[in-house]
Amino acid sequence: MFRHSQLESVKAWIAHPAHAAMSLHVRIQRGIRQMIVNGALGPGKPLPASRALATSLGVSRDTIEAAYAKLHAEGFIDRRVGSGSFVAQMTEFAPGHRRSRRDALLRRQAPKLSQRGNAMFSSGGVREALSPRPFSPGVPETRTFPLQLWEKLERQVRREVGTQVLTHGDPQGTEALRRAIADYVNLERGAHATADRVLILTSSQQAMMLCANMLLDPGDRIFIEDPAYHGARKTFDAAGLECIPIRVDRQGIVVEQILAEPRNTKAVSLTPSHQFPTGATLVLERRLALIEWAARHKAWIIEDDYDSEFHYVGKPTACIQGLDPHDRTIYIGTFTKSLFPGLRIGYAVLPPQLVESMTVARTLIDGHSAPMAQLTLARFMEGGHFGAYVRTMRGIYAQRLDALADLVQKHLSDFIEPRIPVGGLQMPCRLICDLSERVVVDAGRRVGIELLGLSALHATGDAEAGFLMGFAAYTPTEIQIAVMKLANAFRTVTNP
């Protein structure tokens, strides 16, 4: 029997004014033929019995028989005595042949998008590797994650909450997770958060998209770090904002340039705890100066604290949000780096005046995050497992960073100078040889090594050549093998 949608397609063909001059059986025949040509009815698919289709369409059985006879004569269907009618096996109209050729032609056509749609498409998006290769940056270790413990907590949630986890969730996020996040960022990051100020999202990228579209209008100006996280800059560009690059030095974003800017600027976006990609930490004096600037100009501070859990030297500086008495800071965090990317849970700690509007806006994007994952994560945090896991991984990552730094000094010192970070999941390296950044990145890719060049992360023309080397997801042995491959690849392009 036809599916409901297929039956409606035939009815629409019959009723279309352009087909009124055709006899009824011809309209039915051509409607079915069109579904076969379009691939909606694939080869070998059974057609409804003539009596059943006649009843569904409100016509006589003779009309259906006449339509089927014409389809059979044209070679579109096969009729088998005692079995019924079936779509013929025709290569010309099989899915993957005619339809694939048509789709290929359509894909090559430039789509007619909106201005914002064109901006989003031309940005190239933010794409993460499905199977990351050394030294993809920002990738955590997932092979040692305590899956059995996670599954145990998930079973507890299902047993206690039941089918409620299968329904729609609170757009702001489950209260248990919001409370756990507030407790965590207050204790570990010096934030000033309560459960009712936390908004659960799928990622920090989603949080930045909300900020760009809810807090600023197209044409508004926003300060960004230079160099900057490419995902943030692409998001702001796509929203039609004017991004004003501000230089970063060893003490973080140079706030003096912001304070000296005479034109009105609505926001600043930065990664103060561990600047991406340089690894610099924004010093306290500059944090306080930014807070006063935002209060004075009624501007917003968008604080992306993407991997602050992993700090290897000394104690991390308190987040800007916890220092801001004026409630002008949006604090963004994610579990992508601290746990695993597939979890798809991030969050924002919002000023009280933004909670309702941001939550409503979030419903236009994806409604809510999955309740099951939220409740399981809440239990993982409440039971102390999150803190214990982060402490364990912090030690492992510190060892891997040391291993990478030693191997780079030993085998790549003729080519690059490592800048060992105090935290994070990647190490920036500066090129000190005559090879161009493009050449070394391509050389690495040819031997299965992924390097993120630094030049593309700069907005200005005086970018320092180099690349990032992610180390967190790779064992010391894997790091050694990859470094040796990279050294051979660099020597090959130096002495072809």
Side-chain angles (χ1 to χ4, degrees), residues 4 7 25 42 57 80 94 114 117 157 229 240 297 326 331 340 348 361 370 389 393 433 444 494-495:
H4 176 73
L7 187 62
H25 81 276
L57 296 178
R80 305 169 196 168
S114 66
V157 170
Y229 170 55
H297 293 275
H326 311 293
Y331 177 88
F340 54 93
Y389 180 73
M393 299 313 294
C433 60
T494 301
N495 303 299

Side-chain angles (χ1 to χ4, degrees), residues 131-154:
S131 300
R133 307 182 297 180
F135 293 99
S136 298
V139 181
E141 175 63 83
T142 57
R143 292 169 291 187
T144 58
F145 183 78
L147 267 179
Q148 289 185 334
L149 171 60
W150 186 268
E151 290 168 353
K152 176 184 175 182
L153 297 174
E154 192 173 66

Side-chain angles (χ1 to χ4, degrees), residues 312-335:
Y312 312 125
V313 180
K315 292 185 177 181
T317 307
C319 65
I320 293 176
Q321 192 270 353
L323 300 171
D324 181 4
H326 311 293
D327 285 324
R328 304 299 304 179
T329 303
I330 296 99
Y331 177 88
I332 298 172
T334 178
F335 294 96

Side-chain angles (χ1 to χ4, degrees), residues 40 68 113 148 152 175 248 286 299 403 405 409 416 449 453:
Y68 278 5
L113 303 176
Q148 289 185 334
K152 176 184 175 182
E175 184 179 359
V248 172
R286 293 185 180 183
Q409 292 282 15
I416 58 175
I449 306 297

Side-chain angles (χ1 to χ4, degrees), residues 149-170 173-177 200 340 342-345 368-381:
L149 171 60
W150 186 268
E151 290 168 353
K152 176 184 175 182
L153 297 174
E154 192 173 66
R155 286 194 298 270
Q156 289 178 4
V157 170
R158 287 200 302 268
R159 188 166 54 249
E160 295 176 21
V161 183
T163 57
Q164 187 178 343
V165 298
L166 306 180
T167 63
H168 286 87
D170 184 338
T174 63
E175 184 179 359
L177 181 56
I200 305 299
F340 54 93
L343 182 58
R344 304 314 299 152
I345 293 182
H368 64 95
S369 296
M372 175 67 79
Q374 292 186 64
L375 291 170
T376 304
L377 176 56
R379 298 217 170 182
F380 193 73
M381 299 180 75

